[in-house]
């Protein structure tokens, strides 16, 4: 056991490697990444999560995002073919999930694709990947939190006959409000639970995941009675372009398995349980997404989805003719979306924990509370940042920004698995990508294709985010990284 976050003495296996003397290419060996696992500033993360809890974290970070929140954004782009868009996004996620599963079993650490890149492509690419993950997770939390407020209003209206005033429930930029207060509240509530530690957080998450699975099954059972065949025609009114555009927007709904991989240093048996949790959660989520989307567009004309993030509650009310079922759906959605915010926020803090331990971001993000085993300062800082985003930025822009960050990180994972297969062919692997190297190549190309389909404004925002990241790295990370200080 390592004490106080100190790295093990360098050996041929753990000594950093650097190609051509270029500091941008210095790599952190897999053995060293694993040996440092869990070690933070002043304490260590606790290994307490079972395979079932890892699966629940993965489902918690995924299930609900695309259905409860973004379906209203995606359906107007693809029409009834939004169901196909979910399948396309799911297949794209599957290619990358297979690569994630192999790397998670071989390199079971908190950094996810950031750490995989550090071990295979060098520090500079790892930084870019980590910076993308910060965008992916932080903006995802904010995007989902925005939709939470819509369902909270549905619930309050159906039970108490009141709603939160529009000026306090909408972002000021593009939506005409002052602040989206509900979205800020749900992020801060998640922060309170996460500060109690991984084990307690996992228990709360499992309960919430169970509630939202039951809620979606209830919607399928009732919504199917309202299906009208005419709502499925024309199937793809906006053609392949519309299907692709919707799939690109919906892709961020599949980042749950990435959240599972961030728990690598808190899992009891990460080498076996992480790959299983990743694949099992993706399968469950994809099936439910497709079924719910199929029922939803069959029960309500696709043009009616625009401008609402609480579409499922509206469908339940319209199909049954009673507001009671819409209220039940809204209550389930409030819990479901809370669990997404909760689980994704967890993943964000663990990414920054790994980057901080490597010296690329300030050490405060790696400080661990001895009593709870949680990086409490990290949780507070990240929660406040995400809460501010959720309170002031509209949903549509948040969803697209999350998609591009996710796709970029996933593309790098597909590259990383191919490099590690070549450079470390004898490394023990508890899971191997099928049809190698066809699968990771297909995963990389699918991610690139979906990035291409995102709007120009999203690319501009992404370019601005990456420019800021480069400034931070060259002013701070390149000199403060653990590998840089070890060379002095």
């Amino acid at each position: 056991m390592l004490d106080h976050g100190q790295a093990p003495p360098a050996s041929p296996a753990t000594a950093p490697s650097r190609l051509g003397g270029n500091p941008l290419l210095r790599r952190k060996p897999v053995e060293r990444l694993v040996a440092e696992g869990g070690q933070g500033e002043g304490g260590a993360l606790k290994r307490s999560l079972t395979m079932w809890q890892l699966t629940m974290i993965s489902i918690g970070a995924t299930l609900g995002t695309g259905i409860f929140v973004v379906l209203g954004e995606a359906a107007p782009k693809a029409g009834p073919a939004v169901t196909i868009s979910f399948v396309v996004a799911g297949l794209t996620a599957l290619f990358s999930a297979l690569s994630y599963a192999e790397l998670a079993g071989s390199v079971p650490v908190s950094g996810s694709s950031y750490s995989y890149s550090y071990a295979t492509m060098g520090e500079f690419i790892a930084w870019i990947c980590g910076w993308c993950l910060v965008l992916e997770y932080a903006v995802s939390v904010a995007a989902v939190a925005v939709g939470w407020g819509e369902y909270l209003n549905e619930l309050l209206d159906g039970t108490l006959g009141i709603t939160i005033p529009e000026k306090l429930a909408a972002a000021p930029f593009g939506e005409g409000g002052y602040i989206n207060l509900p979205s800020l509240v749900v992020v801060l509530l998640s922060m309170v639970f996460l500060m109690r530690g991984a084990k307690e957080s996992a228990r709360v998450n499992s309960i919430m995941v169970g509630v939202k699975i039951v809620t979606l099954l209830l919607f399928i059972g009732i919504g199917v009675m309202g299906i009208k065949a005419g709502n499925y025609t024309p199937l793809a009114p906006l053609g392949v372009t519309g299907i692709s555009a919707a799939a690109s927007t919906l892709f961020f709904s599949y980042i749950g398995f990435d959240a599972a991989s961030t728990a690598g240093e808190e899992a009891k048996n990460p080498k076996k349980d992480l790959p299983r949790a990743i694949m099992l959660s993706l399968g469950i989520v994809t099936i439910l997404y497709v079924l719910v989307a199929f029922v939803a567009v069959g029960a309500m004309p696709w043009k009616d989805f625009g401008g609402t993030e609480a579409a499922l509650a509206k469908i339940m009310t319209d199909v049954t003719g009673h507001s009671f079922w819409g209220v039940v759906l809204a209550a389930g959605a409030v819990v479901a979306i809370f669990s997404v915010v909760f689980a994704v926020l967890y993943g964000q803090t663990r990414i920054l924990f790994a980057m901080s331990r490597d010296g690329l971001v300030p050490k405060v993000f790696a400080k661990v509370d001895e009593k709870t085993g949680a990086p409490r300062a990290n949780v507070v800082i990240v929660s406040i940042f995400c809460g501010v985003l959720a309170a002031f930025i509209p949903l549509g822009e948040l969803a697209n920004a999350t998609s591009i960050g996710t796709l970029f990180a996933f593309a790098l994972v597909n590259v990383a698995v191919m490099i590690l297969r070549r450079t470390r062919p004898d490394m023990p692997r508890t899971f191997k990508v099928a049809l190698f190297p066809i699968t990771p190549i297909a995963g990389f190309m699918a991610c690139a294709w979906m990035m291409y389909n995102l709007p120009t404004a999203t690319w501009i925002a992404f370019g601005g985010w990456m420019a800021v990241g480069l400034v931070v790295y060259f002013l701070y990370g390149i000199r403060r990284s653990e590998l840089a200080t070890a060379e002095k």
Side-chain angles (χ1 to χ4, degrees), residues 185-268:
V185 169
V186 72
V187 174
L188 295 181
L189 283 174
S190 298
M191 176 189 75
V192 172
F193 282 109
L194 286 172
M195 290 177 69
R196 299 175 63 185
K199 188 174 182 178
E200 292 300 318
S201 298
R203 289 174 179 171
V204 173
N205 178 70
S206 295
I207 294 172
M208 291 191 292
V209 169
V211 170
K212 67 179 172 183
I213 289 177
V214 171
T215 300
L216 289 175
L217 292 176
L218 178 66
F219 171 82
I220 293 170
I222 293 178
V224 72
M225 295 186 293
I227 290 178
K228 298 176 182 178
N231 288 338
Y232 292 115
T233 57
L235 179 62
L238 302 176
V240 175
T241 301
I243 294 173
S244 299
S248 296
T249 298
L250 291 169
F251 186 80
F252 100 109
S253 307
Y254 287 91
I255 67 170
F257 63 83
D258 186 50
S261 70
T262 66
E265 295 173 21
E266 291 164 287
K268 289 183 177 180

Side-chain angles (χ1 to χ4, degrees), residues 22-37:
N22 190 337
L24 302 181
L25 299 177
R26 54 194 173 207
R27 298 192 302 264
K28 199 165 191 179
V30 172
E31 290 79 6
R32 186 166 179 175
L33 284 168
V34 175
E36 293 175 353

Side-chain angles (χ1 to χ4, degrees), residues 166-383:
E166 186 177 353
K167 293 295 184 181
L168 298 179
F173 303 110
E175 295 184 351
Y178 293 139
I179 183 174
N180 193 323
L181 191 59
S183 63
L184 176 60
V185 169
V186 72
V187 174
L188 295 181
L189 283 174
S190 298
M191 176 189 75
V192 172
F193 282 109
L194 286 172
M195 290 177 69
R196 299 175 63 185
K199 188 174 182 178
E200 292 300 318
S201 298
R203 289 174 179 171
V204 173
N205 178 70
S206 295
I207 294 172
M208 291 191 292
V209 169
V211 170
K212 67 179 172 183
I213 289 177
V214 171
T215 300
L216 289 175
L217 292 176
L218 178 66
F219 171 82
I220 293 170
I222 293 178
V224 72
M225 295 186 293
I227 290 178
K228 298 176 182 178
N231 288 338
Y232 292 115
T233 57
L235 179 62
L238 302 176
V240 175
T241 301
I243 294 173
S244 299
S248 296
T249 298
L250 291 169
F251 186 80
F252 100 109
S253 307
Y254 287 91
I255 67 170
F257 63 83
D258 186 50
S261 70
T262 66
E265 295 173 21
E266 291 164 287
K268 289 183 177 180
N269 187 7
K271 286 184 175 292
K272 290 185 178 180
D273 290 346
L274 282 175
R276 293 171 180 171
I278 288 170
M279 300 311 299
L280 180 60
S281 62
L282 183 62
I284 293 172
V285 165
T286 301
I287 291 171
L288 283 172
Y289 273 167
V290 171
L291 288 176
V292 173
F294 178 79
V295 171
V297 294
M300 187 168 77
W302 64 274
K303 292 182 179 180
D304 293 349
F305 280 85
T308 176
E309 283 88 42
L312 300 191
K314 183 177 186 303
I315 292 171
M316 290 279 274
T317 299
D318 291 346
V319 169
T320 61
H322 300 286
S323 60
F324 171 77
W325 291 107
V327 172
V328 171
L329 193 286
V334 166
V335 175
I337 298 172
F338 187 1
S339 74
V340 177
V341 173
F342 182 82
V344 176
L345 193 62
Y346 166 86
Q348 170 72 98
T349 60
R350 270 47 180 184
I351 294 292
L352 285 170
F353 175 86
M355 295 178 72
S356 176
R357 185 175 56 209
D358 292 336
L360 295 178
V361 296
K363 290 295 183 183
V364 66
F365 290 100
K367 186 174 179 59
V368 176
D369 182 84
E370 292 186 6
K371 183 178 180 181
T372 63
R376 303 187 75 172
N378 183 342
V379 170
V380 171
I381 295 170
V382 170
S383 298

Side-chain angles (χ1 to χ4, degrees), residues 38-53:
Q39 301 303 311
E41 293 290 312
L45 301 177
K46 298 178 181 180
R47 291 197 177 276
S48 59
L49 302 180
T50 65
M51 194 274 284
W52 175 250
Q53 289 173 322

Side-chain angles (χ1 to χ4, degrees), residues 5 119 122 141 196 239 319 326 350 356 377 417 429 435 449 451 466:
V141 168
R196 299 175 63 185
V319 169
R350 270 47 180 184
S356 176
V417 78
R429 290 171 169 82
L435 300 176
W449 173 67
M451 289 177 71
M466 295 309 300

Side-chain angles (χ1 to χ4, degrees), residues 73 77 143 146 175 249 309 393-401 458:
E73 295 277 335
K77 296 179 180 179
V146 170
E175 295 184 351
T249 298
E309 283 88 42
I393 307 297
L395 173 63
E397 294 305 316
L398 290 173
N400 284 336
T458 301

